[in-house]
Amino acid sequence: MAGAIAAADLAAAREVLATEARALQDLAGTLGRDFVAACDLLQRATGRVVVTGMGKSGHVAAKIAATLASTGTPAQFVHPAEAAHGDLGMITAQDAVLALSNSGETPELHAILVHARRFGIPLAAMVGRAPSTLAGSADVALVLPAVVEACPLGLAPTTSTTAMLALGDALAVVLLGRRGFSSHAFAELHPGGKLGARLVRVRQLMHEGADLPLVPVGTRMADALLVMTEKRLGCVGVVDEDGRLVGIVTDGDLRRNMAPDLLGRSVEALMTSRARTIAPDALAVEAVRTMNAAAITVLFVVVDGRPVGAIHLHDCLKAGVA
């Protein structure tokens, strides 16, 4: 009995996914001039893209606004029911409106539609039915193809909201590409969590200035050891007269060369030439990968061969970079 129930559950779940997947394929086939025109309309806004919708469409609209904002297109969600009670003030002549409604007849959207027409605010619609009030009011209407809701009753918004969500993602990604939005800009908007940690740059974690352990060629190990101890990075970089990094002496080098004359020797006698380095704009995760591969714990950060910083494995781990 339990096995039969499980099989039925899985069959129902797979049918939901198959139904929604077919809808997305159909949607992709309908994209054309109206989609490009909607991208043009949203890109021209010098203010924000105001995304709005009611009920399930409202939840999708809020997610679309968040995706746009995080990918370089300033956006915000405005609840249509609150708009008539003062929130219309959030929508300015510099903005563009993206309104969502499966039926195209959502009464709560009326105040926003009138406001947009009154002040000449560009309006794009994402709608499941045309002709409809929303489609007719919009400068550009993205009309979803007829879909079969995955709900067996054919009532709960399922396939239709999935299609809206995917279409919103398509708009956001196209606008991202048009704006030349880079991974560096993405990192600036996503400083928190695991995603933010993956996008941290080396320059954000490196030690620099007075914290940088450097000595010139010819320095005695006694003096180099003092610098190494003071800077507490477990190494010292060796630079030539032009300030270029020519080698590195680590704690491991000291252990491997323990001898009565150690402190009197020069750093060149112990240093590892051609030390591994990294650029300041490299991702910190690249630094971790390099250190792990070489079984080392520190990298000097260089520009044109000259050290501008040093990054330690512990700094990366503390920042959540792994």
Side-chain angles (χ1 to χ4, degrees), residues 268-300:
E268 298 97 293
L270 276 74
M271 74 181 188
T272 300
S273 301
R274 299 179 181 176
R276 287 177 173 83
T277 61
I278 197 163
D281 286 326
L283 292 173
V285 69
E286 296 176 40
V288 172
R289 190 180 305 122
T290 299
M291 287 187 276
N292 285 338
I296 57 178
T297 58
V298 67
L299 288 173
F300 275 97

Side-chain angles (χ1 to χ4, degrees), residues 218-221 262-271:
T219 300
R220 289 188 319 126
M221 278 307 306
L262 173 64
L263 297 182
R265 301 171 70 183
S266 69
V267 288
E268 298 97 293
L270 276 74
M271 74 181 188

Side-chain angles (χ1 to χ4, degrees), residues 1 6 18 40 44 66 72 79 96 146 149 152 162 218 247 249 265 274 277 285:
M1 184 67 176
D40 292 340
R44 284 195 298 267
H79 196 291
E149 299 290 7
T162 297
V249 179
R265 301 171 70 183
R274 299 179 181 176
T277 61
V285 69

